Amino acid sequence: MIAENLKIVREAIDRKCFEVNRQPSEIKLIAVSKNFGIDYINEAIKLGLSDFGENRAQELDKKHEILGDKITWHFIGNLQRNKVRFVVNSAEFIHSVDSLLLASEINKCAGKKNKIQKVLLQIKTSKEETKSGLTEFSEIRDLALYCKDFSNLDLAGLMTIAPFTDDKDLIRKSFTQLRKLKERLNSENLNLKELSMGMTSDYEIAIEEGATMLRIGSGIFGERDYSKDWKENL
Ligand SMILES: *Cc1c(COP(=O)(O)O)cnc(C)c1O
């Protein structure tokens, strides 16, 4: 099933890239493996996937312990400061930095490991209360500047989650906002490269709006089974 799903996703990415005159090679496909067990991930690796996303520190830590660094791990969930060291130990990218305190803790843990941690700032581009992330431009710019100054952080770009809706215009607005924000920051020499946006239901719009990282879970692995927790699914 993963093979067929992945074929559909890859074809859709290629088609969309062709339509909007982009190269598929500029887009990193991150398979969001949260709640899926090791067998699923191994099968996806066989099919050529190398980047996997997790949203719980403990789950990422466990999977990293089992599968190691043959995978490029992405942390995409809310991160509490007391879990930072686990995530710094395993993740190549942390997509969800939304405060100076968190950035500073990541910098500190990365320093202890002699690592330059790649991070993205999570931006809230929808009005949904449940979504986290930064909203004010001045706040975003200040945090971006701090991240640039931290010697063990490499600020790679911005991440957002579009609103959960069927309204395509609203989804597009959210992605356009992130793209423009990157352009505005880059006009102030911040030199950001990545736009992490687009999930199973909206990745084609994200490609049109300039996404460089797609985070796709159910579109690759199928529906997540939330009746069991991640440990039972492992
Ligand atoms: C779960 C998750 C995804 C993937 O969602 P799908 O709809 O399964 O593709 C992407 N980004 C974040 C932050 C997530 O938590």
Side-chain angles (χ1 to χ4, degrees):
M1 187 188 65
I2 300 178
E4 284 138 50
N5 289 344
L6 190 57
K7 185 161 178 278
I8 292 168
V9 169
R10 281 177 166 149
E11 281 173 4
I13 294 172
D14 287 352
R15 197 178 331 113
K16 187 48 80 180
C17 280
F18 182 75
E19 261 176 55
V20 298
N21 214 353
R22 297 189 59 195
Q23 299 299 325
S25 60
E26 20 173 286
I27 297 175
K28 201 189 283 293
L29 174 56
I30 302 168
V32 176
S33 46
K34 65 185 185 203
N35 274 69
F36 286 99
I38 301 300
D39 292 349
Y40 284 80
I41 300 177
N42 274 328
E43 185 172 348
I45 294 172
K46 272 195 210 131
L47 295 164
L49 286 174
S50 55
D51 288 73
F52 291 81
E54 292 287 338
N55 71 338
R56 290 181 207 89
Q58 222 191 339
E59 185 173 353
L60 170 62
D61 190 46
K62 186 73 195 166
K63 287 175 175 171
H64 175 255
E65 196 183 296
I66 297 169
L67 293 158
D69 290 325
K70 65 180 172 185
I71 286 173
T72 302
W73 294 103
H74 297 255
F75 188 77
I76 60 174
N78 279 333
L79 183 52
Q80 291 164 308
R81 271 183 292 147
N82 60 353
K83 307 257 172 69
V84 164
R85 66 195 157 92
F86 299 111
V87 172
V88 167
N89 187 44
S90 49
E92 171 99 4
F93 288 87
I94 299 175
H95 293 232
S96 45
V97 175
D98 62 357
S99 75
L100 182 55
L101 278 172
L102 179 59
S104 155
E105 182 67 19
I106 295 171
N107 180 60
K108 196 175 89 189
C109 289
K112 280 187 195 153
K113 275 184 61 76
N114 261 328
K115 174 183 185 185
I116 308 289
Q117 178 67 56
K118 293 179 193 149
V119 298
L120 291 86
L121 300 186
Q122 182 167 353
I123 310 297
K124 185 170 162 190
T125 53
S126 76
K127 304 219 157 24
E128 289 172 33
E129 285 305 315
T130 53
K131 302 241 169 23
S132 47
L134 299 150
T135 51
E136 294 300 318
F137 180 74
S138 59
E139 196 186 14
I140 295 164
R141 177 178 47 201
D142 285 353
L143 183 53
L145 290 169
Y146 274 115
C147 286
K148 283 279 173 190
D149 277 348
F150 282 130
S151 52
N152 288 87
L153 294 190
D154 175 7
L155 180 60
L158 307 174
M159 178 273 228
T160 201
I161 304 171
F164 185 66
T165 170
D166 289 332
D167 184 341
K168 291 207 156 78
D169 290 337
L170 219 54
I171 294 170
R172 183 180 302 281
K173 249 194 196 157
S174 154
F175 294 153
T176 312
Q177 192 186 328
L178 199 72
R179 172 169 52 78
K180 291 199 166 145
L181 186 56
K182 177 178 127 178
E183 286 161 8
R184 190 166 169 198
L185 291 166
N186 282 352
S187 75
E188 301 186 18
N189 292 323
L190 274 150
N191 212 3
L192 307 181
K193 180 170 170 283
E194 309 291 351
L195 286 177
S196 167
M197 57 189 198
M199 310 175 23
T200 296
S201 57
D202 54 24
Y203 67 89
E204 292 177 88
I205 306 174
I207 293 171
E208 290 173 357
E209 295 302 323
T212 63
M213 292 174 154
L214 308 175
R215 310 180 308 266
I216 301 183
S218 48
I220 294 173
F221 295 112
E223 288 306 313
R224 278 180 293 276
D225 180 3
Y226 281 121
S227 68
K228 298 191 200 127
D229 84 353
W230 67 268
K231 285 182 203 123
E232 295 174 81
N233 283 324
L234 204 63

